[in-house]
Short mmCIF file of all heavy atoms in Angstrom, two decimals:
data_model
loop_
_atom_site.label_atom_id
_atom_site.label_comp_id
_atom_site.label_asym_id
_atom_site.label_seq_id
_atom_site.Cartn_x
_atom_site.Cartn_y
_atom_site.Cartn_z
N ALA W 1 -5.01 -2.44 -12.45
CA ALA W 1 -4.34 -2.92 -11.24
C ALA W 1 -4.12 -1.72 -10.31
O ALA W 1 -3.24 -0.89 -10.55
CB ALA W 1 -3.02 -3.59 -11.57
N ALA W 2 -4.94 -1.63 -9.26
CA ALA W 2 -4.80 -0.54 -8.31
C ALA W 2 -3.91 -0.96 -7.14
O ALA W 2 -3.74 -2.14 -6.88
CB ALA W 2 -6.17 -0.10 -7.80
N SER W 3 -3.36 0.02 -6.47
CA SER W 3 -2.46 -0.18 -5.32
C SER W 3 -1.19 -0.95 -5.71
O SER W 3 -0.90 -2.01 -5.15
CB SER W 3 -3.18 -0.91 -4.18
OG SER W 3 -4.28 -0.17 -3.73
N PRO W 4 -0.42 -0.43 -6.65
CA PRO W 4 0.83 -1.10 -7.03
C PRO W 4 1.83 -1.19 -5.88
O PRO W 4 2.71 -2.06 -5.89
CB PRO W 4 1.37 -0.24 -8.18
CG PRO W 4 0.72 1.09 -8.01
CD PRO W 4 -0.63 0.80 -7.44
N LEU W 5 1.67 -0.32 -4.87
CA LEU W 5 2.55 -0.36 -3.70
C LEU W 5 1.83 -0.96 -2.49
O LEU W 5 2.27 -0.80 -1.35
CB LEU W 5 3.07 1.04 -3.36
CG LEU W 5 3.90 1.73 -4.44
CD1 LEU W 5 4.41 3.08 -3.94
CD2 LEU W 5 5.06 0.85 -4.90
N ASN W 6 0.75 -1.69 -2.75
CA ASN W 6 -0.01 -2.36 -1.69
C ASN W 6 -0.36 -1.39 -0.55
O ASN W 6 -0.02 -1.60 0.61
CB ASN W 6 0.75 -3.56 -1.13
CG ASN W 6 -0.17 -4.65 -0.61
OD1 ASN W 6 -0.51 -5.58 -1.33
ND2 ASN W 6 -0.62 -4.54 0.63
N MET W 7 -1.03 -0.31 -0.92
CA MET W 7 -1.47 0.72 0.03
C MET W 7 -0.31 1.35 0.80
O MET W 7 -0.44 1.72 1.97
CB MET W 7 -2.48 0.14 1.04
CG MET W 7 -3.68 -0.52 0.42
SD MET W 7 -4.76 0.66 -0.39
CE MET W 7 -6.32 -0.22 -0.36
N GLY W 8 0.85 1.46 0.16
CA GLY W 8 2.00 2.09 0.80
C GLY W 8 2.97 1.14 1.46
O GLY W 8 4.09 1.52 1.82
N LEU W 9 2.56 -0.13 1.61
CA LEU W 9 3.43 -1.12 2.25
C LEU W 9 4.73 -1.30 1.48
O LEU W 9 5.79 -1.54 2.07
CB LEU W 9 2.69 -2.46 2.35
CG LEU W 9 3.47 -3.66 2.88
CD1 LEU W 9 3.95 -3.41 4.31
CD2 LEU W 9 2.61 -4.92 2.82
N LEU W 10 4.67 -1.18 0.15
CA LEU W 10 5.86 -1.35 -0.69
C LEU W 10 6.49 0.01 -1.04
O LEU W 10 7.24 0.11 -2.00
CB LEU W 10 5.50 -2.08 -1.98
CG LEU W 10 5.05 -3.54 -1.79
CD1 LEU W 10 4.47 -4.10 -3.07
CD2 LEU W 10 6.21 -4.40 -1.29
N GLY W 11 6.18 1.00 -0.22
CA GLY W 11 6.73 2.32 -0.48
C GLY W 11 7.02 3.07 0.80
O GLY W 11 7.67 2.54 1.72
N SER W 12 6.48 4.28 0.90
CA SER W 12 6.84 5.16 2.01
C SER W 12 6.35 4.68 3.37
O SER W 12 6.85 5.12 4.40
CB SER W 12 6.27 6.56 1.75
OG SER W 12 4.85 6.52 1.62
N SER W 13 5.36 3.77 3.40
CA SER W 13 4.82 3.29 4.69
C SER W 13 5.41 1.95 5.12
O SER W 13 4.92 1.33 6.07
CB SER W 13 3.30 3.17 4.60
OG SER W 13 2.71 4.43 4.36
N PHE W 14 6.46 1.48 4.43
CA PHE W 14 7.02 0.16 4.74
C PHE W 14 7.42 0.04 6.21
O PHE W 14 7.00 -0.90 6.90
CB PHE W 14 8.23 -0.13 3.85
CG PHE W 14 8.95 -1.40 4.21
CD1 PHE W 14 8.45 -2.64 3.82
CD2 PHE W 14 10.13 -1.37 4.96
CE1 PHE W 14 9.10 -3.82 4.17
CE2 PHE W 14 10.79 -2.53 5.31
CZ PHE W 14 10.26 -3.76 4.91
N SER W 15 8.20 0.98 6.71
CA SER W 15 8.67 0.90 8.10
C SER W 15 7.50 0.97 9.08
O SER W 15 7.43 0.19 10.04
CB SER W 15 9.66 2.02 8.39
OG SER W 15 10.83 1.87 7.62
N GLU W 16 6.59 1.90 8.83
CA GLU W 16 5.43 2.08 9.72
C GLU W 16 4.56 0.83 9.75
O GLU W 16 4.18 0.33 10.81
CB GLU W 16 4.62 3.28 9.27
CG GLU W 16 3.34 3.50 10.06
CD GLU W 16 2.45 4.57 9.46
OE1 GLU W 16 2.92 5.30 8.54
OE2 GLU W 16 1.29 4.68 9.90
N PHE W 17 4.23 0.30 8.56
CA PHE W 17 3.30 -0.82 8.48
C PHE W 17 3.92 -2.14 8.95
O PHE W 17 3.22 -3.02 9.45
CB PHE W 17 2.79 -0.99 7.05
CG PHE W 17 1.79 0.07 6.64
CD1 PHE W 17 1.29 0.11 5.35
CD2 PHE W 17 1.34 1.02 7.53
CE1 PHE W 17 0.36 1.06 4.95
CE2 PHE W 17 0.41 1.99 7.16
CZ PHE W 17 -0.08 2.01 5.86
N THR W 18 5.23 -2.30 8.78
CA THR W 18 5.87 -3.54 9.24
C THR W 18 6.13 -3.50 10.75
O THR W 18 6.22 -4.54 11.39
CB THR W 18 7.19 -3.81 8.49
OG1 THR W 18 8.03 -2.64 8.56
CG2 THR W 18 6.92 -4.16 7.03
N THR W 19 6.25 -2.30 11.30
CA THR W 19 6.46 -2.15 12.74
C THR W 19 5.14 -2.19 13.50
O THR W 19 5.01 -2.86 14.53
CB THR W 19 7.19 -0.83 13.05
OG1 THR W 19 8.42 -0.79 12.35
CG2 THR W 19 7.43 -0.69 14.54
N SER W 20 4.16 -1.47 12.98
CA SER W 20 2.84 -1.40 13.62
C SER W 20 1.76 -1.56 12.56
O SER W 20 1.19 -0.57 12.09
CB SER W 20 2.70 -0.06 14.34
OG SER W 20 1.45 0.03 14.99
N PRO W 21 1.46 -2.80 12.16
CA PRO W 21 0.55 -3.04 11.04
C PRO W 21 -0.86 -2.54 11.31
O PRO W 21 -1.40 -2.76 12.40
CB PRO W 21 0.56 -4.57 10.91
CG PRO W 21 1.79 -5.03 11.62
CD PRO W 21 2.00 -4.04 12.73
N PRO W 22 -1.48 -1.87 10.33
CA PRO W 22 -2.89 -1.50 10.47
C PRO W 22 -3.76 -2.77 10.43
O PRO W 22 -3.33 -3.81 9.91
CB PRO W 22 -3.15 -0.62 9.25
CG PRO W 22 -2.09 -0.98 8.26
CD PRO W 22 -0.90 -1.41 9.06
N ASN W 23 -4.97 -2.68 10.99
CA ASN W 23 -5.79 -3.89 11.12
C ASN W 23 -6.26 -4.46 9.80
O ASN W 23 -6.68 -5.60 9.73
CB ASN W 23 -6.99 -3.61 12.04
CG ASN W 23 -7.85 -2.45 11.55
OD1 ASN W 23 -7.75 -2.04 10.41
ND2 ASN W 23 -8.67 -1.92 12.44
N TRP W 24 -6.20 -3.66 8.73
CA TRP W 24 -6.67 -4.14 7.43
C TRP W 24 -5.56 -4.81 6.61
O TRP W 24 -5.82 -5.31 5.51
CB TRP W 24 -7.27 -2.99 6.62
CG TRP W 24 -6.45 -1.74 6.61
CD1 TRP W 24 -6.59 -0.65 7.42
CD2 TRP W 24 -5.33 -1.44 5.75
NE1 TRP W 24 -5.64 0.31 7.14
CE2 TRP W 24 -4.86 -0.14 6.11
CE3 TRP W 24 -4.70 -2.12 4.72
CZ2 TRP W 24 -3.79 0.45 5.47
CZ3 TRP W 24 -3.63 -1.53 4.08
CH2 TRP W 24 -3.18 -0.26 4.46
N LEU W 25 -4.35 -4.82 7.13
CA LEU W 25 -3.23 -5.37 6.38
C LEU W 25 -2.87 -6.75 6.91
O LEU W 25 -2.59 -6.93 8.09
CB LEU W 25 -2.02 -4.43 6.51
CG LEU W 25 -0.81 -4.71 5.63
CD1 LEU W 25 -1.19 -4.71 4.16
CD2 LEU W 25 0.26 -3.66 5.89
N GLY W 26 -2.88 -7.74 6.04
CA GLY W 26 -2.64 -9.12 6.44
C GLY W 26 -1.18 -9.44 6.70
O GLY W 26 -0.28 -8.83 6.12
N VAL W 27 -0.96 -10.43 7.56
CA VAL W 27 0.40 -10.86 7.91
C VAL W 27 1.14 -11.37 6.68
O VAL W 27 2.34 -11.12 6.51
CB VAL W 27 0.34 -11.95 9.00
CG1 VAL W 27 1.73 -12.53 9.25
CG2 VAL W 27 -0.25 -11.40 10.29
N LYS W 28 0.44 -12.08 5.83
CA LYS W 28 1.05 -12.65 4.63
C LYS W 28 1.69 -11.57 3.76
O LYS W 28 2.82 -11.72 3.28
CB LYS W 28 -0.02 -13.41 3.84
CG LYS W 28 0.48 -14.14 2.61
CD LYS W 28 -0.68 -14.91 1.96
CE LYS W 28 -0.24 -15.59 0.69
NZ LYS W 28 -1.38 -16.31 0.05
#
């Protein structure tokens, strides 16, 4: 099981990715 933090979404990149989502990260 790779990406336990969903490419950083569940870790250090949570604020960045939820504020300005990268194009490869789904809304769901």
Side-chain angles (χ1 to χ4, degrees):
S3 299
L5 300 183
N6 209 94
M7 305 292 203
L9 175 61
L10 294 170
S12 60
S13 297
F14 174 79
S15 295
E16 176 188 349
F17 286 176
T18 52
T19 302
S20 181
N23 57 17
W24 45 265
L25 189 58
V27 173
K28 184 177 177 182

